[in-house]
Amino acid sequence: MPSPPQPLPISEHADEIVAAVEANTVVVVIGETGSGKSTQLSQILHRCGYSRRGAIAVTQPRRVAAVSVARRVAQELGVPLGDEVGYAIRFEDRTSERTCIKYLTDGVLLRESLSDPELKQYSVIILDEAHERSLNTDILLGLMKRLIKDRASDLKVLITSATLDGLKVSNFFSGCPVLNIPGTLFPVEKFYSTERPTNYIESSLKTAIDIHVKEPSGDVLIFMTGMDDIDKMVSKLKEKIQNLEEGSCMDALVLPLHGSLPPEQQVRVFAPAPPNCRRFIVATNVAETSLTVDGVVFVIDCGYVKQRQYNPSSGMYSLDVVQISRVQADQRAGRAGRTRPGKCYRLYPISTYQKEFLEATVPEIQRSSLAGSVLYLKSLDLPDINILKFDFLDPPSRPALNGKLESWWQVRLVSRDHGSYGIT
Ligand SMILES: Nc1ncnc2c1ncn2[C@@H]1O[C@H](COP(=O)(O)OP(=O)(O)OP(=O)(O)O)[C@@H](O)[C@H]1O
C-alpha cells in the first residue's frame, strides 16, 4: 500500500487542525505546494470520525485533479477506488453508498446543491485550491456562508489554498481561524532566463532537449498555453528526439495533457514510465494544481497561460495568452519536488517574476462581464437565492450593477417592482 514517502508537513499539524475544526465551523488552511492539503486533510478528519455522520467532500477546480487525488487517497488507505473513497466529475460518478471521502469538481458540488440545497449528505466540505478563484469557487464560498447559518451544528467547512489571502477569506467568514502550514517535502532549484524569449515554444523545446541530453533520469513537465501549442510542441519534440544520435540518450516518451483529452488518455501520464525512458509531459494549466505525477523532476514554465477575459469596450470575450501570476508560477514549480528534489526552468527573468507578474490570478468574476456572471448564477437556478444580493468574496461594484439593472430590465433579464429589481 503506497503511503507518503515521509511525514508530509501537514501531518505534523494534524492535532492543531483537528482542534481548530472541533472549535469552529469554518477554518482556512494555507499550505505550500506539496504540503499535503489535497490528499491528507480529508484523511485526518476521516480518522477523527467526521465521516461517521456524513461524507467528507473535497472540491477540485479540474476533473483530472479530482480523479487523480481520489485514486491516490484510495491507494493510501488501501481501498478500491469507488468504495470508501470515490470521485464525481461531469459524466462520471465513481462513488457508492459506502463512500465517505468524495473528491468532486466544484461544478459538480454546485449541481448537487440544486437538488439538495443543504448538502445534507456531507459532514465536512473542503474547498481545495481556492486560490484559483474560479467563478464556481467564488459562488461556492458564498453558498457556504449561507449554509453554515442553517447547518452550524453539523457542518464543517475548510477552505484550503497554497497562497490565498487568508485574512480576506477569514474576514468573509466572520474572522474564522487561519492555519498556516509551512514547509515542502523536497527542494526545487529555480533557473531563470536572462530575457524573455521571442518564441516560447522554441525556447521550451531547446530547454527540453538540453535536459534530455545533459541531465540524469527524471520526467519533464512542460507548461504550454493551449492545445495548439501542445500539438506543435509534441510533434517538434518527437522529431528532435528522433534526430538525436542513436544511443546518445535514454528513450523518450512524449505525452500531451489537456482538459479536452478523453479521460483514458489523461490518466496515461500517471502510469509509470518504461525502464530507461524519460517522459515529457506537455500540459496546459490543468497540471498546475493538485497533481502529483510521480517521476517529474524537471518543470519548464513558459510563463504564459490562455485566459478568457471580457473586454468592456467591445462587449466581447476573447481567449488571450497572458502572463501568469506569481501564484501560478509557484504552483508550476511545485509540480517538481514532490517525490524527489527537482528543478524548474523559468523562461523569463527573475525581474519579470518579481515585478511584472501579478501576485495572484485575477478572480474569474473580475474577468467576466457582470451580465455573464449574473446569467451564469441564474442558469444554476439555485433555490432561494437573491442573485442580485449574492454574497461574493469580491462583489461586483454596486454602481456598476445598478447601471446595468435598467438595461437588463429592458430585455427582461430582471424584473422590476416598485423600483426594486429581482431575477425573472
Ligand atoms: N500520486 C502520487 N504519487 C506519489 N506521491 C504522491 C502522489 N500524490 C501525492 N503524493 C505525495 O503527497 C504529497 C502531498 O500531495 P498533496 O496533493 O496532498 O499536496 P498539496 O498540499 O495539496 O499540494 P498542491 O497545493 O501543490 O496541490 C506530494 O508532494 C507527494 O509527496
Side-chain angles (χ1 to χ4, degrees):
M1 180 203 314
S3 55
Q6 45 184 277
L8 294 171
I10 206 162
S11 311
E12 287 162 29
H13 296 263
D15 291 345
E16 190 190 340
I17 292 166
V18 172
V21 172
E22 269 300 300
N24 299 277
T25 308
V26 185
V27 177
V28 176
V29 180
I30 313 279
E32 286 179 48
T33 59
S35 57
K37 302 176 298 298
S38 306
T39 55
Q40 306 305 313
L41 263 182
S42 57
Q43 296 187 64
I44 291 171
L45 297 178
H46 172 56
R47 279 197 294 274
C48 289
Y50 277 97
S51 47
R52 275 190 222 123
R53 48 185 174 79
I56 298 174
V58 190
T59 66
Q60 292 292 324
R62 294 180 231 289
R63 286 184 279 172
V64 61
V67 176
S68 69
V69 180
R71 178 170 295 132
R72 172 69 183 179
V73 173
Q75 279 174 352
E76 285 186 13
L77 289 175
V79 297
L81 184 59
D83 228 20
E84 282 103 317
V85 182
Y87 66 82
I89 58 176
R90 191 156 43 112
F91 306 133
E92 197 185 354
D93 186 340
R94 202 153 167 198
T95 59
S96 69
E97 277 159 20
R98 287 180 303 284
T99 300
C100 47
I101 300 181
K102 177 168 163 184
Y103 285 84
L104 70 179
T105 52
D106 43 19
V108 167
L109 186 63
L110 270 179
R111 292 279 152 205
E112 288 185 354
S113 75
L114 300 186
S115 51
D116 174 16
E118 293 200 355
L119 293 168
K120 287 223 179 71
Q121 57 168 313
Y122 302 118
S123 57
V124 178
I125 297 176
I126 304 176
L127 302 185
D128 198 14
E129 313 291 354
H131 61 264
E132 290 229 345
R133 296 293 309 274
S134 67
L135 195 49
N136 280 346
T137 304
D138 277 13
I139 293 172
L140 280 174
L141 286 170
L143 281 184
M144 291 304 122
K145 196 165 170 179
R146 196 178 77 136
L147 207 53
I148 53 171
K149 285 193 193 122
D150 302 335
R151 290 191 52 195
S153 59
D154 70 340
L155 177 71
K156 299 291 182 184
V157 175
L158 281 85
I159 296 143
T160 89
S161 161
T163 33
L164 181 73
D165 182 348
L167 208 56
K168 181 170 175 176
V169 181
S170 165
N171 287 339
F172 185 70
F173 286 103
S174 318
C176 71
V178 180
L179 302 183
N180 280 295
I181 314 293
T184 52
L185 212 48
F186 299 101
V188 178
E189 204 178 343
K190 298 181 188 86
F191 302 92
Y192 292 87
S193 302
T194 46
E195 55 186 27
R196 273 240 140 161
T198 43
N199 182 331
Y200 63 82
I201 298 183
E202 288 301 326
S203 181
S204 304
L205 188 63
K206 183 176 175 312
T207 312
I209 294 294
D210 276 355
I211 292 171
H212 194 40
V213 172
K214 294 179 192 154
E215 293 281 355
S217 62
D219 295 339
V220 185
L221 176 61
I222 307 170
F223 282 97
M224 288 280 112
T225 64
M227 249 165 71
D228 293 353
D229 283 0
I230 290 180
D231 289 347
K232 272 188 217 149
M233 184 70 190
V234 166
S235 70
K236 285 183 178 208
L237 195 52
K238 282 183 177 167
E239 192 188 314
K240 284 260 182 203
I241 291 169
Q242 257 176 9
N243 290 340
L244 290 173
E245 197 182 317
E246 180 111 26
S248 63
C249 309
M250 66 183 82
D251 292 343
L253 187 63
V254 184
L255 299 169
L257 177 62
H258 53 76
S260 314
L261 277 182
E264 63 278 9
Q265 283 195 39
Q266 288 185 344
V267 295
R268 278 173 67 199
V269 306
F270 299 104
N276 195 33
C277 178
R278 189 195 301 281
R279 297 183 313 155
F280 290 88
I281 297 155
V282 189
T284 56
N285 60 344
V286 299
E288 206 170 84
T289 41
S290 281
L291 290 199
T292 299
V293 181
D294 196 8
V296 168
V297 171
F298 309 98
V299 167
I300 302 176
D301 172 16
C302 69
Y304 293 105
V305 67
K306 208 171 250 180
Q307 204 165 266
R308 196 175 86 107
Q309 37 210 6
Y310 180 70
N311 182 339
S313 55
S314 64
M316 310 264 279
Y317 276 95
S318 55
L319 204 52
D320 300 328
V321 172
V322 298
Q323 299 209 116
I324 54 171
S325 62
R326 282 203 286 281
V327 170
Q328 286 177 292
D330 294 345
Q331 285 292 313
R332 288 179 178 192
R335 294 315 104 197
R338 297 175 84 83
T339 53
R340 63 196 89 173
K343 291 182 177 177
C344 176
Y345 296 85
R346 291 178 160 166
L347 305 183
Y348 42 85
I350 190 164
S351 57
T352 302
Y353 171 83
Q354 287 169 339
K355 295 187 194 136
E356 285 183 31
F357 285 3
L358 295 175
E359 191 190 339
T361 313
V362 178
E364 190 181 354
I365 191 165
Q366 290 173 353
R367 290 184 274 116
S368 309
S369 79
L370 258 180
S373 302
V374 170
L375 270 177
Y376 179 65
L377 258 173
K378 181 171 153 59
S379 75
L380 290 173
D381 205 15
L382 299 164
D384 308 327
I385 295 258
N386 183 341
I387 292 164
L388 300 178
K389 291 188 187 141
F390 192 76
D391 204 350
F392 280 110
L393 184 58
D394 284 305
S397 87
R398 198 66 221 178
L401 192 55
N402 286 339
K404 286 278 178 195
L405 288 171
E406 172 71 24
S407 56
W408 291 347
W409 174 69
Q410 284 170 0
V411 293
R412 298 295 180 264
L413 179 59
V414 295
S415 61
R416 188 160 70 181
D417 188 17
H418 296 97
S420 75
Y421 293 92
I423 288 290
T424 54

